[in-house]
């Protein structure tokens, strides 16, 4: 990965780390599936307005409609729904640990479905170091919840698998601007979620949602979805699906740092140790650290 790709990855991790704040507020008031619909619909509208302002004709990319639908299903509809539902029964720590296995599944799926992203010792070692760092970062208290509902844990694992397959599918959009890919996927996800929500939750009761919750929903849709996926697809196009999936190792770090900066939370010794392990894992995956050590 280039320095610019790493910068994009860390920025994406910071943005997605903020999504935990928004989702934590909104899911207490809005049903999970309805929240998914709000998230993708707001993102789709914002992205269409952005393309219109830039003079980009989205309709000229209509030949990718089926791929947009597949990406919207695998990247948004399935994982967002499973993760939000899982949050109702799992602690945030356990969910973050399980979600951080995304790079492992991506490495495995990429090894079978691609010719340019094969399993390497560096990748496996780095990912395992990263997950160890996340377990340390979250602390031993999170481990007490590992005996929680099996169905909730399986939902999170299924979401990570969906992300893995979506990352591979995203590689097929080379030549399509990241903004167009993001717009297509969000539009498709919105069209898929509308009948699901109407059947399962009924017509959303928007009048009962207060301003603070709407602010969280807008943050989730505009910043943590619309802007985030433009960055994500840019990374996929330049660095590959496996490297893009490394963002799940960075997200917990950014979430904790945001809590420290904006909510006055304090960092403990295990937080610094966990961040160090994650940094070591990322350097191992990058390969430059091992190469430098071999030269000595």
């Amino acid at each position: 990965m280039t320095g610019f790709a790493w910068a994009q990855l860390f920025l994406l991790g910071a943005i997605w780390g903020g999504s935990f704040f928004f989702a934590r507020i909104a899911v207490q008031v809005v049903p999970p599936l309805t929240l998914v619909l709000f998230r993708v619909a707001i993102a789709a509208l914002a992205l269409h307005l952005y393309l219109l302002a830039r003079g980009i004709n989205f309709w000229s990319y209509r030949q990718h409609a089926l791929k947009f639908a597949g990406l919207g299903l695998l990247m948004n509809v399935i994982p967002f729904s499973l993760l939000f539902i899982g949050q109702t029964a799992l602690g945030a720590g356990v969910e973050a640990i399980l979600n951080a296995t995304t790079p492992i599944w991506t490495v495995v799926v990429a090894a079978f479905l691609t010719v340019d992203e094969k399993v390497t010792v560096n990748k496996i070692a780095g990912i395992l170091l990263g997950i160890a760092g996340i377990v340390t970062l979250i602390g031993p208290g999170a481990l007490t919840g590992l005996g929680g509902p099996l169905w909730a844990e399986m939902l999170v694992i299924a979401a990570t698998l969906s992300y893995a397959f979506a990352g591979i599918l995203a590689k097929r959009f080379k030549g399509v601007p990241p903004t167009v890919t993001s717009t297509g996927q969000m539009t498709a996800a919105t069209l898929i979620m509308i009948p699901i929500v109407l059947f399962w939750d009924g017509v959303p009761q928007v009048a009962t949602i207060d301003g603070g919750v709407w602010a969280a929903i807008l943050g989730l849709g505009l910043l943590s979805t619309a802007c985030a996926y433009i960055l994500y697809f840019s990374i996929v196009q330049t660095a590959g699906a496996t490297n893009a999936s490394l963002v799940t190792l960075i997200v917990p770090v950014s979430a904790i740092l945001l809590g420290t900066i904006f909510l006055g939370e304090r960092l403990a010794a295990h937080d610094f140790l966990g961040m160090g392990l994650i940094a070591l894992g990322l350097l191992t995956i990058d390969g430059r650290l091992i190469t430098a050590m071999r030269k000595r």
Side-chain angles (χ1 to χ4, degrees), residues 92-111:
V94 176
E95 188 166 49
I97 292 172
L98 295 174
N99 189 53
T101 63
T102 299
I104 292 180
W105 300 118
T106 305
V107 166
V108 173
V109 172

Side-chain angles (χ1 to χ4, degrees), residues 71-125:
L71 199 59
L73 188 66
L74 292 172
M75 186 69 81
N76 304 120
V77 172
I78 293 175
F80 286 178
S81 299
L82 295 180
L83 288 173
F84 285 163
I85 293 171
Q87 276 185 330
T88 64
L90 284 178
V94 176
E95 188 166 49
I97 292 172
L98 295 174
N99 189 53
T101 63
T102 299
I104 292 180
W105 300 118
T106 305
V107 166
V108 173
V109 172
F112 286 99
L113 298 182
T114 69
V115 296
D116 58 342
E117 294 193 43
K118 297 304 180 184
V119 176
T120 65
V121 174
N122 286 7
K123 286 181 179 179
I124 296 298

Side-chain angles (χ1 to χ4, degrees), residues 241-264:
T242 299
N243 286 329
S245 71
L246 297 178
V247 71
T248 58
L249 300 179
I250 301 171
V251 167
V253 178
S254 68
I256 288 177
L257 290 177
L258 286 170
T260 302
I261 295 170
F262 295 105
L263 300 179

Side-chain angles (χ1 to χ4, degrees), residues 74 101-102 105-106 109 154 156-167:
L74 292 172
T101 63
T102 299
W105 300 118
T106 305
V109 172
M154 290 298 99
V156 179
I157 293 297
T160 64
L161 280 168
S162 187
Y163 279 135
F165 281 102

Side-chain angles (χ1 to χ4, degrees), residues 15 18-19 21-23 25-26 30 35 37-46 209-228:
I15 292 174
S19 69
F21 292 99
F22 301 136
I25 295 170
V30 182
L35 182 59
L37 174 59
F38 286 163
R39 180 177 185 177
V40 296
I42 290 170
L45 177 60
I209 302 174
D210 63 34
V213 175
W214 272 119
I217 293 172
L218 288 173
L220 192 61
L222 296 176
L223 182 62
S224 299
T225 308
C227 294

Side-chain angles (χ1 to χ4, degrees), residues 4-58:
F4 181 66
W6 277 111
Q8 287 182 306
L9 191 73
F10 279 103
L11 177 59
L12 179 59
I15 292 174
W16 269 340
S19 69
F20 283 95
F21 292 99
F22 301 136
R24 188 179 300 128
I25 295 170
V27 80
Q28 295 176 3
V29 177
V30 182
L33 295 180
T34 300
L35 182 59
V36 174
L37 174 59
F38 286 163
R39 180 177 185 177
V40 296
I42 290 170
L45 177 60
L47 287 166
H48 275 289
L49 291 175
Y50 176 80
L51 292 185
L52 186 62
R54 293 289 302 273
I56 299 174
N57 184 6
F58 177 72

